[in-house]
Amino acid sequence: MGDRRRSRRLAAVLAVTALAFGTAACGSGSDSAGGGDPNTLEVWTRSNPDPAATYERVFAAFTKKTGIKIDYQPVINFDQQLQSRASTKDLPDVMINDTALMGSYQSQGLLKPITPASIAGSDQITDKTWSSTVGIDGRHYGIPYSRQAQTLMIRTDWLKKLGLKAPTTWQQLLTVAKAFATRDPDGDGKADTYGMVVPGSAQNGYAAWWGASFLWQGGAQIIKADGKGTYTPAMDSTAAVNTVTWMKDNLFCGDNAVIQPGAVTAVTGTATNFQDGNAGMYLTGPYNIATFDTTLGKDKYEVVPAPAGPAGDDVLADGENIYFGAKTGKTKQEQALAAFLISPQGQQLAMTGKNQPVVRIPVNSTLDAAEVRNDPRWSVVQKAYEDASQQFPNAPDFAPIKQDTADSLNAVFTYCGSDVRSQLGELNETLAGDLKDQDLLK
């Protein structure tokens, strides 16, 4: 197992090295649309058609206000297309993509460093939010655009039928989950309901993405920063062993299992039991609220804070940053676009309208998500982000770390007889290799 992970990790490093070599000389020349026009910015987002329509509306408002044109390209296979463009030394001017990708992009030389004070309105973003855009060298490489935090979606009609309340602790979570799985909350006389939905596949790191909140609530960390730009793997800690053992024994395995069948191969696109109506809880991101309102019904569920574990109630937070491609020219136009996107006007446009919002929790501190949307459920999400959340470390390239963690957790949850301590000890050695490959191991 360790050798296989190591081989994949080294292959990834070689790919990054090749890409960095190909992009080191990125300059201002471009054959793409708008590339030679100083008043046109080429902007990429990782978007399907519905959120892309929201971006179109936002960019149209920016052009109307400033006269700067936007050559907008919603890209599905974002990283593949970005690598292709980087190999031709022709990066987009501006990209909007996940916060967790910053370390990877920066290590490949794809990003232009940012001085927050150069962006009008930067002082309306909190220090906590800005801190997630700091690279290994202490410089900023992104501008916060949208943030979100996980909360618990729960069937209120099932709670009422069974005489239960939304859980606030891990033990209460298990009590409610077992009741949902065994006491016929939908009243059809069949054993066809499940306590909780889990996207537990190793694919794309889902097991680590979903499990991170439980790790933090149990007092565990995946890697620890030493404050000097290096990190230590931490998945062999007592807290990690205890937390993963609790998850295995109480959620996935044996007579205690309370999650949907096939959870260990489920990704978010296939973990649809909550919206399908046969699972009672889902710890997930707020982007699902609109979907659940339509498929399940707004009157059948509520959004509540995640139950607390032994070390608290922190949940995974993530979001999107605005990145400037590492090329010369158009800096003032890029700064003008960023200033608009983080302004109250730009943020509100991105949070409202008939299409899918592309800003969940506003990074502009003058705005309240619940007030903008006229939906009090969003105050739960905003409070979770502000008061009880952590983010994956994004100064390193966290992708291999997340993937190796997901591989290990998925194996533990799949093979219920596995020894958690030894599995996590092996994972810790693999994480040390991940950090060493990036020259970040303490």
Side-chain angles (χ1 to χ4, degrees), residues 231-259:
Y231 297 80
T232 304
M235 280 298 287
D236 64 346
S237 68
T238 299
V241 172
N242 290 343
T243 300
V244 174
T245 300
W246 182 89
M247 294 165 70
K248 175 175 77 77
D249 292 345
N250 292 289
L251 301 179
F252 288 86
C253 295
D255 295 335
N256 293 327
V258 292
I259 59 179

Side-chain angles (χ1 to χ4, degrees), residues 150-157 196-199 209 267-304 356 375 377-378 381:
Q150 294 189 348
T151 55
L152 186 69
M153 315 289 176
I154 187 167
R155 290 290 295 269
T156 48
D157 55 341
M196 184 162 56
V197 179
V198 173
W209 173 83
V267 298
T268 53
T270 59
T272 61
N273 300 80
F274 190 82
Q275 67 197 64
D276 293 343
N278 60 10
M281 289 183 285
Y282 193 2
L283 183 67
T284 188
Y287 47 82
N288 276 317
I289 290 176
T291 299
F292 295 163
D293 284 356
T294 301
T295 57
L296 185 62
K298 188 175 180 179
D299 59 327
K300 292 181 179 173
Y301 79 102
E302 65 178 327
V303 180
V304 300
Q356 182 178 327
D375 185 343
R377 296 175 298 178
W378 281 90
V381 182

Side-chain angles (χ1 to χ4, degrees), residues 80-140:
Q80 180 181 352
Q81 294 298 318
L82 183 61
Q83 291 187 23
S84 177
R85 285 288 297 272
S87 69
T88 65
K89 304 176 183 178
D90 178 25
L91 292 168
D93 297 302
V94 178
M95 301 170 282
I96 300 175
N97 207 347
D98 296 345
T99 59
L101 292 169
M102 190 195 77
S104 174
Y105 290 170
Q106 189 267 326
S107 68
Q108 297 173 49
L110 303 183
L111 303 180
K112 189 183 299 182
I114 303 291
T115 301
S118 69
I119 310 299
S122 62
D123 58 340
Q124 295 178 337
I125 298 176
T126 66
D127 291 342
K128 173 184 177 177
T129 303
W130 269 116
S131 69
S132 63
T133 67
V134 178
I136 292 294
D137 60 2
R139 304 178 75 180
H140 293 269

Side-chain angles (χ1 to χ4, degrees), residues 161 182-193:
K161 178 178 174 59
T182 61
R183 292 173 56 188
D184 191 24
D186 61 1
D188 67 356
K190 301 177 182 178
D192 57 358
T193 57

